[in-house]
Amino acid sequence: MKKRFSLLETAVVLVLAIGAFLAVFPFYWMFSAATRTSADVLGIPPRIDFGLALWQNLETLIARGFFLAAWNSLLIASVTTVLTLLVASMAGFALTQYQFKARENVFALFLITLIVPPQVTIVPLFQLMAGQNPFSINLLGSPWAIMLPALSSSFAIFFCRQAFQKYPSELSDAARVDGANEFQVYWRIALPTIRSSLAALSVFVFLGQWNSFFLPLIMNSNNDAGRTLPLLISSLIGENTIDYGALIAGTALSVLPVLIFFLLAQRLFVSGALSGSVKG
Amino acid sequence: MKNRVTVFAAFGISAVVAVGLAQNAPATNPQKGNTNIKGEITLFSWAEPSYSSVLAEFNKLYPNIQVKFTTVGYADAYPKITASFAGNVPLADVVMIESERVEIYGTRFPNAFTDLSAWGKKWERNFDRSKWAQSEVKGKLLTMPTDAAPVGMWYRADLLEKAGVEPSSIKTWNDYLEAGKKVVIANPGIKMAGIDVTGSETLMRTLIQQQGSFYIDQDGKIAVNSSKMVRALSFVKSAWDAGILANVQGTDGLIGAIKGNRVAGVNLPVWMIGIFKAFTPEQKGKWGVAQLPSLTAGGGQTAYIGGSSLAIPSNSQNKEAAWAFVEWYTTYGSKNVLEKRGAWPSFLPSLSAPVLNAADAFFATPNVFAPFKKSAFLSKSLRYSSDYDKAFAAVVAAQASVLTGDQSVQAALDKAANDLKNQTGREIAGK
Amino acid sequence: MTSRRIVLTPWAFLTPALLLYALFTVYPVARALILSFQRNIDGEIRWAGVAQYQRLLGDDVFKQALFNTGIFLVVQVPIMLLAALLIAIALNSKRFPLRALFRSAFFLPSIMSLVAVGVLFRVLLNEDLGLVNYLISSLGLSAVPWITHPWWAKITVMLLLTWRYTGFMMVIYLSGLQTIPDELYEAAEIDGSSGWQSFWYITLPLLRPTILFTTVLSTIGVLQIFDEALIVTRGGPSNETLTIGLYLYQTVFSSADFHYAAALSWVLVILIGVLSVLQLRLGERGQG
């Protein structure tokens, strides 16, 4: 019993269709250009069909260490995601389930760090990681130098705090009566109730770290062995020579896994899973 | 406080090393090699093929030195170098640095470099003078120069011929301007050359070097508003106003303009050879090159844009092996680099390499290297200064405001000088 | 359950987060403050008082960066947020065909890394060889100097920001919209109110917190941007797309002038702080 579309509605659908096309087209173009040689990517006239140089481009990428970089990216992004979720959910739990004096101030402290631009902290951070700290611990060259600073995510804490606000504290009290300690209450009772929020958050954290460029660039002193995918791609951009074919093929390959995952789990991104976070 | 400790510690280390070296100079020899020098060294650059392609030749002389490469994108190299120097964290045993940036780093982080004077000074008279001067900061030799980048007048022979312009008749920039007008009329939609109006100052840099001067003078004073700079920018403006220049930004923009048949020439270094061959194979046989025009008949013709050098950071653990590589690569090895990669050597003996006399069918001129070979190395030593990045930005801004706005040449350059004064605390030299 | 335990427990849960913040945010920021009162003279660090801040006052490049960032803030943020809101409202309607597909399509750009965005758009927007100008010329229009013209370059950066972040903002609006009960709209419809009235009297007021959230988020984002401008226009032409974030980046890494950069960054932090508080205050007052 659908109503017919009005003129306005048809126009809206049309406009959004154009918008959606513009949003997606660069992805298509990227995959088509990945199959071309360098001179052909900048060919006249520009082409949008597929070429024959995909294998040649892949060979260049593999020779430059594509698989190792992909493995590094996967490792760093996965570990960061798990640890960020742990740290942020613990903080979110504390900020919603307990009454204590400094609670709002602590939350404000976390939020205020959102305004600190990353360029400000990078040099002191680098020196800190390089062993210029009271413990003389040198973390450069280990993935921890990339992961640790990423763990303090205000966005994740904000997100978890909002998710826990809907959590009924009677559940905790019941568990306490049954003899659970506070960590067990958090881990076994509270955490599972915000599963869907955590799933959505994990997608954002993973994506952020998978695409992260600036911090890994500075912190990776382990050179080729510690390179992540964005670093590998960027390393293909020489001063006066750029292998556009390999460059775009690498770009496409770095987007591909995320794209596949996105298409499989798109509900997580675009459904209401975020709703807890911005209720305000 | 921590900084001072670090600086002090770094200084202490390099002092110890320097003493160690004096007692025990490395037995390197770039012609005979040395099998006793051993170990693995790493080389940090954004141009790995320039080094890996000649590694076999190096290992014939030094079979027991293994060279490993750390390669980053061009735009990523300086953030990494800066962080490494600031944190006194080893980056590599050998670090590639463009000549224009040696003094910037050498001034901010004087102790981050190994002073190569004791080992390298003996080569000074064999090197292009300007390149050598760019490697020396406050009496220390911080890097060894690798490639130089002499500029030539590249032109599309077919388009010039269509306009009835004989390339060899272009002797002065004034001739160039007149020829450009003819080319533009004979080839609608095509300009005589491309310049990056708002992003770079290659033509300005060419013109000021040809007059034996630069943005910051040898006394460290600001000279961007000197009469020579006024002359340079005035020419750029007259060429722009005459409509013979196209605005082309970045290397990709340049490739676009060349491939898209929008320009009949560029005034850029010898490394354009690589770009033509890689990106415009369809224009085979159309490109020629000649020596740059000069401002006055018989005036200076030489200019350099770019060129690099190799440093050995003071925290390198194997300086002897690092030096063996740097010494070979910058001196006798530069001939191999020229043959394999077309990099123009700063080491003058390599200019007699046979490859420089060979014909290349890709180009319209019988010997593509000849014009560069003729342009002798700069008679006056040319230094970039520790504030080159700021001077560069100020000159680009002045050029842009003159070409795209209505500011006068003198006013724009005076403003550039004042901006630089505020940023650097340097004095402005008299005009 | 002792009262002491109650007091300590939340702190135990907060310890990892607080430790990480202290080490990786508070310490570097405090260090930057110290750096901003020093200078580097031939490798030696000396106290310099407020000299770096004085230099900032006379720095035309800084003023230009401030101006550019302001333009991005005033022009791009409202357009993007409005577009995201309208798209979200349309895609929230059950009558919209294929709405799941549309939502995914709009969100897609935000999964792409900035490095990738830079690579793709430098080629697509190439003045002579890019696909975009090819299409424009084949319509009989003249090629657009996307990267070389002062105003076009600004527009390019704004288009890129919009391309990449509109979908993300749309998702946030969608989740906000989903907390508004359908019954409200149904009741309004029964009362005879138009779609426009429903939007004005139901959607907007209930979405206010979400709108405030996205506004603050985008403001912070724009004030900090450096990558978008860096990778596509590189701040050019003539610093026309230089943002404060990018200028800061150049000062740190090209000039290796940490002390001036530290002063710049503190000015930036204060600026973002003031703007965020201002927006939050305005948002709250509007609510009351």
Side-chain angles (χ1 to χ4, degrees), chain C residues 122-143:
Chain C
R122 278 296 292 200
V123 179
L124 281 171
L125 298 177
N126 185 299
E127 212 170 316
D128 299 278
L129 307 174
L131 181 64
V132 178
N133 270 355
Y134 175 74
L135 295 177
I136 289 175
S137 336
S138 55
L139 291 176
L141 303 167
S142 59

Side-chain angles (χ1 to χ4, degrees), chain B residues 1-4 7 75 78-80 82-83 86 101 104-105 107-111 138 197-199 247-253 255-257 259-260 262 389-390 396-397 400-401 404 415 419 422-424, chain C residues 27 31 35 38 40-47 54-61 122-123 126-129 147-150 232-234 236-239 247 249-250 252-260:
Chain B
M1 190 60 86
K2 202 175 274 175
N3 255 2
R4 193 161 309 159
V7 168
Y78 291 114
K80 294 221 53 133
T82 305
R101 302 195 61 90
I104 295 176
Y105 284 114
T107 308
R108 308 272 193 286
F109 311 104
N111 302 312
K138 297 200 166 71
V197 171
T198 53
N247 186 9
V248 165
Q249 205 195 36
T251 307
D252 43 2
I255 294 169
K259 222 173 147 69
R262 205 149 63 84
D389 56 323
K390 299 186 187 85
V396 171
S401 69
T404 63
K415 179 180 183 310
D419 285 350
N422 175 53
Q423 287 181 318
T424 64
Chain C
Y27 164 75
R31 185 110 173 72
L35 284 178
Q38 295 172 327
N40 175 338
I41 299 168
D42 293 343
E44 269 188 63
I45 312 301
R46 302 223 184 104
W47 290 105
Q54 267 168 344
R55 175 178 156 196
L56 205 143
L57 289 177
D59 185 347
D60 281 355
V61 180
R122 278 296 292 200
V123 179
N126 185 299
E127 212 170 316
D128 299 278
L129 307 174
I147 291 164
T148 48
H149 186 275
V232 178
T233 59
R234 292 163 199 162
S238 313
N239 295 334
Y247 187 44
Y249 176 86
Q250 290 176 348
V252 172
F253 290 113
S254 290
S255 313
D257 197 343
F258 303 145
H259 304 280
Y260 188 49

Side-chain angles (χ1 to χ4, degrees), chain B residues 349-362:
Chain B
S350 292
L351 289 175
S352 60
V355 66
L356 292 183
N357 300 320
D360 188 336
F362 191 93

Side-chain angles (χ1 to χ4, degrees), chain A residues 76 118-131 138-150 209 212-223 225-228 231, chain B residues 72 76 79-81 83-84 87 89-91, chain C residues 23-24 28 253:
Chain A
I76 289 175
Q119 306 93 308
V120 179
T121 54
I122 194 78
V123 170
L125 209 52
F126 180 80
Q127 293 174 327
L128 188 75
M129 292 295 182
N138 186 343
L139 285 176
L140 285 184
S142 104
W144 290 107
I146 298 169
M147 295 191 291
L148 282 177
Q209 187 67 295
S212 171
F213 175 72
F214 187 52
L215 196 70
L217 172 70
I218 302 302
M219 293 299 171
N220 168 36
S221 69
N222 208 2
N223 305 330
R227 214 150 54 177
T228 58
L231 297 188
Chain B
V72 297
D76 308 339
K80 294 221 53 133
I81 293 174
S84 146
V89 174
L91 181 64
Chain C
L23 273 175
F24 303 127
F253 290 113

Side-chain angles (χ1 to χ4, degrees), chain C residues 84-101:
Chain C
L85 180 62
L86 294 178
I87 295 171
I89 289 172
L91 294 183
N92 197 40
S93 157
K94 293 196 175 63
R95 283 168 52 74
F96 203 95
L98 302 170
R99 62 177 183 158
L101 190 72

